[in-house]
Amino acid sequence: MTTPGGAPSAALRTAALEQLLVERGLVDPRMVDAFIANYETNVGPLNGAKVVARAWTDPDYRGRLLAEGTAAIKELGFGGAQGEHIVVVENTPTTHNVVVCTLCSCYPWPVLGLPPSWYKDPAYRARMVREPRTVLAEMGLELGDDVQITVRDSTSEVRWLVLPERPAGTEHLSEAELVPLITRDAMVGVAKVAAP
């Protein structure tokens, strides 16, 4: 497996690197498997979706989440590395927040899992700051000129999580019914949550 330029694919390079680390006794393959399984099943966008759904259905929790994101997220049992200080901002019909990390790929792992490849892409990181409306449109999110866009820059000190707008027509849905609607992209601010 190679890329169009002839370089080995990311999957092939990753497998080769893991094999070298295991062969040299630097990494236990069971630890690698456990780490991957943890981020696939216990940590990830599903956690963030649970946080958002709770905020949509519980006004008191929503207030705590917007006032002190990290503590409110911990109320639901989510926390850990890369989630030591999470600030939550709310999207409204007139204000849209979008998250980027201009330095590297700082990301709130406990609630969103591992960052997607586009989030780490230098073009996304640079262009989102300069021309957010254009980049969002290219990603499929058209916002009216009356919507103010604020770009939030995640750092090693603070990670951002977007509380997306609750879609119209979902008022009758329970917290559990809302969770599957909420995507990672909506919690980064590059998409909106669609009604079912």
Side-chain angles (χ1 to χ4, degrees), residues 96-161:
H96 188 87
N97 294 279
V98 61
V99 181
V100 66
C101 177
T102 57
L103 296 176
C104 52
S105 58
C106 298
Y107 197 72
W109 290 15
V111 288
L112 294 182
L114 300 174
S117 59
W118 56 260
Y119 185 84
K120 299 180 277 184
D121 186 279
Y124 170 81
R125 295 181 358 223
R127 288 186 62 223
M128 185 58 79
V129 173
R130 289 192 323 265
E131 49 184 347
R133 194 172 304 276
T134 301
V135 175
L136 290 172
E138 289 171 4
M139 296 180 84
L141 180 58
E142 298 277 348
L143 296 172
D145 291 336
D146 60 328
V147 177
Q148 177 185 341
I149 300 173
T150 303
V151 178
R152 307 291 182 165
D153 193 2
S154 277
T155 67
S156 59
E157 287 82 32
V158 62
R159 302 311 200 269
W160 295 90
L161 178 69

Side-chain angles (χ1 to χ4, degrees), residues 32-47 109 112-114:
V32 172
D33 292 342
F35 184 80
I36 291 169
N38 183 48
Y39 276 87
E40 286 179 340
T41 58
N42 301 327
V43 178
L46 178 61
N47 294 349
W109 290 15
L112 294 182
L114 300 174

